[in-house]
Amino acid sequence: MLRLENLVKQYATGDKALRGVDLVVPEGQVMALIGPSGAGKSTLIRCVNRLIEPTSGNIWLKQTQITGLRGGALRAVRRRIGMIFQEYALVERLTVMENVLSGRLGYVNFWQSWFRRFPQSDVAAAFHLLERVGLSEFVDKRADALSGGQRQRVGIARALIQHPDLLLVDEPTASLDPKTSRQIMRLITELARERGLAVVINIHDVPLAQMFAQRIVGLRAGEIVYDGPPDGLTNQQLTTIYGEEDWNQERSSDSEAAELTLEARATV
Amino acid sequence: MAAGRTWRKPPFIRNPWLRWALIIGALVYLVLALSSVNVNPDRIARGMDRAARIFSAFLQPDFTSRWRDIQAGILESLTMTVVSTVAGVMLAIPVGFGAARNLAPLPIYLFCRGIVTISRTFQEVIIAIVFVVMFGFGPLAGVCTLTFATIGFLAKLLAEDIEEIDPAQMEAIRATGSSFPQLLTYAILPQVTPRLVGLSIYRFDINLRESAIVGIVGAGGIGSTLQTSFSRYDYDVSSAILIIIITLVMITELLSGVIRKRLQ
Ligand SMILES: Nc1ncnc2c1ncn2[C@@H]1O[C@H](COP(=O)(O)OP(=O)(O)OP(=O)(O)O)[C@@H](O)[C@H]1O
Ligand SMILES: [Mg+2]
């Protein structure tokens, strides 16, 4: 499905963000990409749809070689790849419906999109998806009037209406509370399973990754240092990925910490 | 005990010699400059006399005797304002997009910035004189002047606005496989439209004001009528014209203020 071969990214500033990454994600797999800040997770998934230009290496989506595509061919492969962002990246001044339909931009011509005359099948799909993510009452609300969790649902609908083969997800829950985070992760993984999509999710929350992903890849300083099942992630592996830390203490106090933050919020 | 320690703001120029030299130099220059202006009390007295006549005429504005000329001038000014604002906005939008560094490739960027800079360097009156020389007296020169000035004003502010948009929204729309025109209309226009509309309306009332000024150098409109009345010593007519200009400007300013507030 998705295949990376010796992917290297060196920024103009000289930072080597990726140092030869080899990775294969098969059809229907939900893969979580974890690693410390600056490990290159965002760089990796942005290279896949060429929002960032990789320095060298190859990327394949099914039979299509993404690296080296230009113009119309690049746009055609981008519409097969849905993307979900940490800060939702909705167009704030457009309505929920317009944001969802913008996922179809790659399929319609300029005048159709300018006059908002999308094919009826697209509109029907948008209504269906909005119902599925629980936002059918917000169709004509402006995106900036929504809460974080609601915005991320719009982001999910926008990515899925593309009918993608692959979903790239960059820290979908980093700005959400623990409960909403789980709901969003559940929604993404359920929808992906229904449609048989491959998913790459960048995520900082290791327990959440273990709960929802079938496979975990650990990235450190631009190199893969762990690749295996969620329950194979031992304390020693975590140390390899993130560096020295008392993981048992961290993990057992996780739920406590969540409660504490909730309490703190309530008292403020 | 630290009570005895004093503090003063450090002087702007540390070196006392340099400081005093600059102060004394500035004073000497001021005295010399004043003495070179050549103030002539006789001319001032005569000027006062004329001023008294003008002001007394101004207290009795005459709207009726030249009403036809005034009416024609006002209509011409309004036409100039509308035409130049519409044309200016339409031309400023592409120039503004081209002058935004985060969108345009370098050659286009430099070209559009060049247009903006030329338009903003020269005061309207100077541009108006050039156009009057090119096209002769009349509203065409005025329309060209105001259009040109509108391009510089709007394109610059639009470009700055575009450079400050949220890049994440742009990235998200690009990631859907949209084309460049779709990227402009879905990711960028929604972010800049409210301000663009507000600025266009604001420019409308600047253009109305400027249309009276460029008329004085012969570029048509109410300014030309005003100029004629002055040269005929019809100060009561001038007074009527000024009152009308002030009222018009105040009305458009009020309206544009209300509209712009609604847009927020
Ligand atoms: N636009 C850029 N220009 C230069 N260097 C960059 C740029 N973006 C990222 N980097 C560098 O590349 C490295 C990887 O960054 P990246 O954003 O991919 O990390 P990340 O794993 O996503 O981190 P986080 O978890 O904080 O999001 C970092 O060292 C960063 O400084
Ligand atoms: Mg990141």
Side-chain angles (χ1 to χ4, degrees):
Chain A
M1 177 61 146
L2 174 69
R3 188 150 52 88
L4 312 185
E5 281 174 3
N6 196 20
L7 191 68
V8 174
K9 172 64 192 179
Q10 180 159 21
Y11 282 104
T13 49
D15 292 294
K16 254 203 167 162
L18 298 173
R19 308 163 179 267
V21 172
D22 291 295
L23 186 68
V24 176
V25 186
E27 209 152 320
Q29 184 178 71
V30 176
M31 189 204 97
L33 191 59
I34 63 171
S37 227
K41 307 182 294 297
S42 300
T43 305
L44 189 147
I45 69 166
R46 278 174 166 70
C47 279
V48 171
N49 60 2
R50 297 266 306 278
L51 289 177
I52 292 178
E53 214 43 61
T55 310
S56 68
N58 288 315
I59 303 170
W60 296 80
L61 182 66
K62 287 192 178 160
Q63 308 310 322
T64 320
Q65 183 171 13
I66 298 178
T67 33
L69 289 183
R70 316 175 92 246
L74 176 59
R75 293 201 297 274
V77 78
R78 273 182 181 157
R79 69 186 191 194
R80 289 167 53 198
I81 305 175
M83 193 159 184
I84 297 170
F85 300 82
Q86 173 183 348
E87 301 288 351
Y88 328 119
L90 303 182
V91 182
E92 306 256 309
R93 286 209 181 88
L94 295 184
T95 63
V96 167
M97 186 48 118
E98 286 173 307
N99 268 290
V100 175
L101 285 174
S102 69
R104 297 301 292 175
L105 284 177
Y107 295 88
V108 301
N109 67 39
F110 175 76
W111 295 110
Q112 284 174 297
S113 60
W114 171 259
F115 290 112
R116 311 300 197 248
R117 289 266 171 269
F118 287 84
Q120 182 52 38
S121 54
D122 290 358
V123 177
F127 274 117
H128 177 76
L129 272 166
L130 282 173
E131 193 157 326
R132 183 69 177 72
V133 300
L135 288 177
S136 21
E137 278 144 51
F138 296 83
V139 175
D140 287 323
K141 272 242 167 106
R142 254 170 56 159
D144 53 8
L146 303 182
S147 73
Q150 291 167 337
R151 285 181 200 208
Q152 195 56 293
R153 289 162 194 273
V154 178
I156 294 170
R158 174 176 66 186
L160 286 172
I161 203 172
Q162 288 178 230
H163 288 305
D165 298 327
L166 169 71
L167 216 48
L168 302 173
V169 191
D170 197 358
E171 295 181 34
T173 61
S175 321
L176 300 174
D177 69 65
K179 185 168 170 219
T180 314
S181 295
R182 286 183 179 209
Q183 290 171 338
I184 291 291
M185 284 298 285
R186 191 169 297 125
L187 195 57
I188 293 173
T189 46
E190 267 178 24
L191 283 164
R193 197 168 309 127
E194 285 167 19
R195 291 153 192 248
L197 307 182
V199 186
V200 178
I201 305 186
N202 285 353
I203 188 160
H204 276 300
D205 188 330
V206 177
L208 209 58
Q210 288 174 306
M211 198 181 312
F212 290 102
Q214 296 150 18
R215 172 183 171 196
I216 298 213
V217 169
L219 203 63
R220 177 173 189 172
E223 280 168 310
I224 294 182
V225 292
Y226 176 84
D227 185 351
D231 46 16
L233 210 53
T234 60
N235 289 348
Q236 197 188 336
Q237 307 282 10
L238 285 173
T239 303
T240 328
I241 300 172
Y242 289 101
E244 207 59 61
E245 174 63 53
D246 186 351
W247 297 107
N248 284 323
Q249 189 188 356
E250 170 89 8
R251 286 168 127 182
S252 59
S253 63
D254 251 5
S255 51
E256 242 173 76
E259 265 167 40
L260 278 178
T261 37
L262 280 182
E263 265 170 40
R265 272 191 209 151
T267 51
V268 165
Chain B
M1 276 221 333
R5 193 163 169 199
T6 63
W7 180 87
R8 279 196 196 186
K9 184 177 177 307
F12 181 61
I13 299 167
R14 277 187 187 279
N15 182 341
W17 287 101
L18 182 63
R19 188 162 68 236
W20 284 108
L22 283 175
I23 291 172
I24 291 167
L27 284 175
V28 170
Y29 178 77
L30 188 64
V31 170
L32 288 176
L34 276 179
S35 65
S36 77
V37 171
N38 195 2
V39 185
N40 183 337
D42 196 36
R43 270 172 66 179
I44 292 182
R46 261 185 288 145
M48 284 306 190
D49 199 35
R50 214 176 297 140
R53 253 187 296 137
I54 294 178
F55 279 116
S56 70
F58 265 61
L59 289 179
Q60 308 146 16
D62 174 7
F63 288 93
T64 49
S65 63
R66 298 247 169 234
W67 178 244
R68 275 175 181 286
D69 293 342
I70 297 178
Q71 200 184 24
I74 292 169
L75 280 181
E76 198 167 86
S77 264
L78 283 176
T79 314
M80 280 164 60
T81 308
V82 172
V83 172
S84 62
T85 308
V86 171
V89 170
M90 281 179 4
L91 292 170
I93 291 174
V95 177
F97 276 91
R101 192 64 199 101
N102 52 348
L103 287 185
L106 191 63
I108 295 179
Y109 169 77
L110 291 177
F111 176 72
C112 292
R113 277 283 158 181
I115 296 179
V116 170
T117 310
I118 293 172
S119 155
R120 288 174 54 85
T121 306
F122 300 106
Q123 228 282 324
E124 275 89 342
V125 173
I126 297 175
I127 301 174
I129 292 172
V130 173
F131 277 120
V132 167
V133 172
M134 278 165 66
F135 300 135
F137 292 105
L140 178 61
V143 167
C144 291
T145 307
L146 297 180
T147 304
F148 191 59
T150 304
I151 294 173
F153 173 88
L154 261 185
K156 177 170 196 282
L157 294 173
L158 178 62
E160 274 167 12
D161 217 27
I162 293 173
E163 282 168 358
E164 275 161 27
I165 61 165
D166 174 12
Q169 299 179 31
M170 209 161 97
E171 204 175 39
I173 295 297
R174 186 178 290 140
T176 64
S178 63
S179 62
F180 188 69
Q182 289 174 328
L183 182 73
L184 294 186
T185 52
Y186 269 72
I188 295 165
L189 267 192
Q191 295 191 62
V192 299
T193 310
R195 211 166 114 81
L196 177 63
V197 175
L199 286 171
S200 303
I201 293 168
Y202 178 46
R203 187 65 214 188
F204 181 89
D205 63 60
I206 297 179
N207 279 348
L208 183 65
R209 238 176 304 149
E210 296 290 340
S211 80
I213 292 172
V214 297
I216 292 175
V217 296
I222 190 77
S224 295
T225 322
L226 181 66
Q227 169 65 14
T228 313
S229 72
F230 266 119
S231 55
R232 285 181 183 149
Y233 304 104
D234 286 342
Y235 296 133
D236 44 1
V237 176
S238 313
S239 161
I241 294 174
L242 284 179
I243 290 171
I244 289 172
I245 293 176
I246 293 169
T247 320
L248 268 180
V249 169
M250 267 166 52
I251 292 173
T252 49
E253 262 186 18
L254 268 177
L255 283 180
S256 88
V258 170
I259 296 175
R260 278 185 289 147
K261 206 163 260 165
R262 280 276 176 87
L263 282 173
Q264 287 315 305

